[in-house]
Amino acid sequence: MTQDSIWLGPLRRPVGLGALAACAVAALTFLWLVLQHFTAAEPIGMYDMLRPAGRLSVLLMLWSLFAAVLLGAAWLSDTVAPLETPPTGPFDILSLVCARIAMIGITGIVASMFYEVVARYVFEKPTLWANELSLWIAGFVFLLAGLYAMQQRTHIRIFVIYDLLPRPVQKASDVLSVLLVCFFAFCLVWGGWNEVVTKLARMETFGTAWDPPIPATIKAAILITVVMVAVQAVSNLIADWNKAPEHHSPMDDIDEAEIENIRRTLKED
């Protein structure tokens, strides 16, 4: 990834240090909770992570983990990869931050699944929460990935006819596409608002032993994300309005920098 700051500027270093500090606090709190399993009469487990009221160590770990993810995502969004589309507006930056949160979330899925495999097949003590936690995180990753795809203009598009059209007709088709996206977002919010309010009001849970509030949080996230996708579509339309006509080919997806790195590696071997 390129090292030029995109939007943080002089704040890049403090944000990075803040992310590292939050990671350190979360790690130390985690070690303290693990130590309690061997010393405390009533150790704190994953069940308590969903019900942290009155537990200072749990609150400290959750808030430090939240700060680590948020600051880490902000720091990572301050640079772009060679094939990434740089941000063209304030909302693009928000989409990039959300994309980095999704990328961090994938590591969380891998970590929870790794823990489950080791606990199940090495120690013969399977967990009650790893599968549900991975499903919970994966739901948010899926939604945020859609927002990232819209910001990067990498969602599925058919260019065979689009590339043949004159620029004014291309603009008209772009406007129509954005209107359809906004209409879909409006219909989804209109139809799902009452259900989301009801689920959040009672904080509907998954109905399992660990019982995380997956239905309530994912339903709300769907509405929020689809609105963000619609706003991102409008932002893309404004940013691309005066661009010259583009012609697409399969060669656009080739990462020349990655190919050059592979060639350099082969020469070194």
Side-chain angles (χ1 to χ4, degrees):
M1 301 179 71
T2 58
Q3 297 302 313
D4 295 333
S5 176
I6 294 176
W7 65 281
L8 284 176
L11 294 177
R12 176 175 171 79
R13 180 177 174 82
V15 169
L17 293 176
L20 291 176
C23 287
V25 172
L28 291 175
T29 309
F30 173 76
L31 292 176
W32 169 253
L33 293 176
V34 171
L35 181 62
Q36 280 191 331
H37 274 269
F38 301 98
T39 59
E42 296 182 0
I44 297 174
M46 286 298 293
Y47 185 84
D48 302 306
M49 291 293 173
L50 297 178
R51 302 153 186 88
R55 298 178 177 89
L56 181 59
S57 57
V58 175
L59 289 171
L60 178 61
M61 179 176 176
L62 292 177
W63 280 109
S64 60
L65 191 60
F66 173 78
V69 172
L70 188 60
L71 292 175
W75 185 82
L76 291 172
S77 68
D78 196 39
T79 55
V80 294
L83 281 182
E84 277 190 308
T85 301
T88 56
F91 200 82
D92 284 33
I93 296 174
L94 177 60
S95 297
L96 282 178
V97 173
C98 291
R100 296 327 190 237
I101 293 176
M103 296 174 187
I104 295 172
I106 294 175
T107 64
I109 296 174
V110 173
S112 62
M113 286 292 94
F114 177 79
Y115 184 93
E116 170 66 17
V117 169
V118 173
R120 179 181 295 269
Y121 296 106
V122 176
F123 299 101
E124 297 184 353
K125 292 184 178 180
T127 69
L128 297 174
W129 52 266
N131 181 60
E132 294 163 19
L133 179 60
S134 63
L135 289 175
W136 200 2
I137 298 174
F140 289 101
V141 169
F142 177 81
L143 294 172
L144 296 179
L147 176 62
Y148 179 60
M150 177 61 74
Q151 187 271 329
Q152 291 290 306
R153 288 89 162 164
T154 54
H155 50 286
I156 297 176
R157 301 171 66 186
I158 307 301
F159 295 116
V160 176
I161 299 177
Y162 184 87
D163 286 347
L164 299 176
L165 300 175
R167 185 56 181 158
V169 181
Q170 288 182 346
K171 290 183 177 181
S173 64
D174 291 339
V175 172
L176 178 60
S177 298
V178 172
L179 288 177
L180 291 174
V181 171
C182 294
F183 178 71
F184 172 77
F186 172 78
C187 291
L188 195 62
V189 173
W190 179 270
W193 178 260
N194 291 333
E195 181 184 5
V196 168
V197 171
T198 301
K199 289 181 180 295
L200 286 176
R202 64 171 181 257
M203 194 52 68
E204 184 175 328
T205 57
F206 207 47
T208 56
W210 190 41
D211 210 21
I214 294 178
T217 53
I218 291 296
K219 284 285 186 179
I222 290 174
L223 297 192
I224 295 173
T225 306
V226 75
V227 171
M228 294 177 67
V229 169
V231 175
Q232 183 63 63
V234 175
S235 177
N236 289 352
L237 179 66
I238 296 173
D240 299 342
W241 189 256
N242 293 320
K243 281 188 175 180
E246 296 180 355
H247 298 283
H248 305 84
S249 71
M251 300 297 293
D252 296 338
D253 296 327
I254 297 178
D255 190 344
E256 296 292 344
E258 184 65 24
I259 293 177
E260 184 61 30
N261 291 335
I262 294 174
R263 289 174 178 171
R264 189 179 302 110
T265 302
L266 293 176
K267 288 180 181 179
E268 292 176 356
D269 294 340

